[in-house]
């Protein structure tokens, strides 16, 4: 199937009929775009971020939460093993599987969700339920897939917590903080050009704010010692409940596409 047909089908799955090519310029460098947008009152300040690869700097302070420097994971296998055996918070008592993350480990785009649900807990992979199917369609619409091997087209998907909160409740702040060193190491090792935080909970926990999603969506933030640019958009589970918001989600996806298409300075 050719790529434009794949994209049209993906857009149709999103309930979006037209591909608005005119709005997209692959050369349009969006660096610093947030500075021209209003900053929500209680949201973290957006920053002028470039999408250039960043030099690896010192490990985030939270890495110290992982029991000892000797036990601190040194590579992806070690990190996956640490997550699989993690007992740092109460979610370990009720999980079936940890949900580490999936995708190419050199992906320029990292998608971060809230936390595993029942399907993810059963399968050990993020976003495999109904919301995950929609996420796959959304990503396919901008030419990306968790399964594709080509790095410039690929995506890495993870959550702010690696274990399912029981009853699909929101992950609590202490659970997110216990898990943050794992996510921070993933971000540090991936060095994505852009993080897309999906939904209020992921965005609030990642950016350490209680601002509502309506205010968080729009500006470009940065995260961590590598100043990784972060955009916030709707969670696919919300889009399943509120399909009328898909058009705004599509605007966000086009922006992701533009940002990742812009040349690194
Ligand atoms: N919702 C999320 O935020 N993450 C998942 O992995 C699945 C559903």
């Amino acid at each position: 199937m050719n790529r434009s047909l794949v994209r049209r089908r993906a857009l149709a799955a999103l309930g979006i009929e037209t591909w608005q090519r005119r709005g997209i310029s692959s050369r349009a460098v969006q660096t610093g775009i947030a500075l021209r947008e209003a900053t929500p009152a209680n949201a973290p300040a957006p920053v002028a971020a470039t999408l250039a690869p960043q030099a690896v700097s010192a490990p985030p302070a939270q890495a110290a939460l992982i029991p000892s420097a000797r036990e601190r994971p040194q590579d992806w296998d070690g990190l996956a093993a640490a997550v699989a055996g993690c007992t740092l918070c109460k979610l370990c008592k009720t999980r079936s599987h940890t949900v580490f993350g999936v995708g190419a480990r050199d992906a320029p785009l990292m998608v971060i969700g809230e936390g595993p649900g029942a399907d993810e807990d059963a399968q050990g992979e993020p976003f495999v339920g109904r919301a995950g199917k929609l996420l796959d369609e959304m990503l396919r619409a901008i030419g990306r897939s968790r399964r594709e091997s080509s790095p410039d087209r690929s995506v890495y998907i993870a959550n702010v917590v690696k274990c399912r909160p029981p009853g699909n409740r929101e992950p609590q702040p202490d659970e997110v903080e216990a898990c943050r060193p794992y996510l921070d190491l993933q971000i540090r090792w991936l060095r994505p050009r852009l993080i897309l935080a999906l939904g209020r909970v992921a965005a609030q926990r990642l950016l350490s704010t209680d601002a509502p999603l309506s205010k968080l969506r729009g500006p470009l933030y940065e995260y961590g010692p590598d100043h990784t640019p972060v955009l916030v958009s709707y969670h696919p589970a919300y889009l399943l409940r509120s399909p009328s918001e898909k058009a705004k989600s599509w605007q966000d996806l086009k922006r992701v596409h533009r940002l990742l298409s812009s040349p690194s300075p």
Side-chain angles (χ1 to χ4, degrees):
M1 207 186 316
N2 75 32
R3 192 163 279 158
S4 87
L5 184 56
V6 169
R7 189 166 54 203
R8 260 184 284 133
R9 287 196 178 167
L11 288 173
L14 275 169
I16 292 160
E17 302 289 316
T18 50
W19 170 255
Q20 297 168 349
R21 221 172 227 304
R22 213 169 294 159
I24 299 182
S25 156
S26 62
R27 301 283 304 168
V29 181
Q30 297 300 310
T31 299
I33 193 166
L35 295 181
R36 294 192 296 276
E37 297 165 337
T39 306
N42 53 343
V47 292
T50 72
L51 296 187
Q54 307 280 335
V56 176
S57 50
Q62 295 97 325
L65 283 177
I66 295 176
S68 77
R70 211 158 19 95
E71 293 169 40
R72 193 177 303 150
Q74 301 299 316
D75 56 24
W76 283 99
D77 287 346
L79 183 57
V83 167
C86 182
T87 55
L88 286 177
C89 85
K90 55 193 174 299
L91 296 182
C92 70
K93 300 200 178 96
T94 48
R95 72 178 179 226
S96 303
H97 294 101
T98 54
V99 178
F100 182 71
V102 68
R105 289 172 178 175
D106 54 1
L109 175 63
M110 182 176 196
V111 170
I112 301 182
E114 172 179 332
D119 293 320
E120 292 75 23
D121 180 62
Q123 296 182 40
E125 182 171 325
F127 284 100
V128 291
R130 273 187 75 218
K133 302 271 176 297
L134 178 58
L135 176 61
D136 284 341
E137 297 297 335
M138 291 160 62
L139 292 170
R140 196 165 301 139
I142 54 166
R144 292 183 185 273
S145 161
R146 67 176 86 189
R147 308 271 175 235
E148 263 181 55
S149 51
S150 166
D152 61 329
R153 308 200 67 74
S154 62
V155 57
Y156 191 89
I157 304 173
N159 286 302
V160 291
V161 291
K162 313 254 178 262
C163 296
R164 182 192 182 201
N168 292 341
R169 66 162 169 76
E170 287 178 12
Q172 294 165 351
D174 62 310
E175 296 158 354
V176 174
E177 289 318 308
C179 222
R180 196 183 287 269
Y182 301 131
L183 184 66
D184 283 349
L185 280 179
Q186 286 177 305
I187 294 170
R188 187 167 167 232
W189 291 345
L190 275 167
R191 295 170 67 202
R193 292 183 70 205
L194 181 66
I195 291 173
L196 179 64
L198 293 179
R200 176 185 59 82
V201 176
Q204 287 181 341
R205 301 289 190 266
L206 203 61
L207 299 173
S208 302
T209 175
D210 57 3
L213 185 89
S214 58
K215 294 201 170 164
L216 289 173
R217 186 178 158 261
L220 192 60
Y221 304 95
E222 66 174 32
Y223 181 81
D226 289 336
H227 308 281
T228 310
V230 179
L231 267 187
V232 174
S233 189
Y234 297 103
H235 195 286
Y238 171 77
L239 296 175
L240 289 172
R241 295 193 302 274
S242 308
S244 61
E245 302 287 36
K246 283 180 179 175
K248 285 196 237 162
S249 164
W250 177 232
Q251 296 304 318
D252 296 341
L253 287 171
K254 285 195 293 184
R255 191 164 165 210
V256 167
H257 181 70
R258 279 200 303 271
L259 285 164
L260 292 175
S261 300
S262 69
S264 301

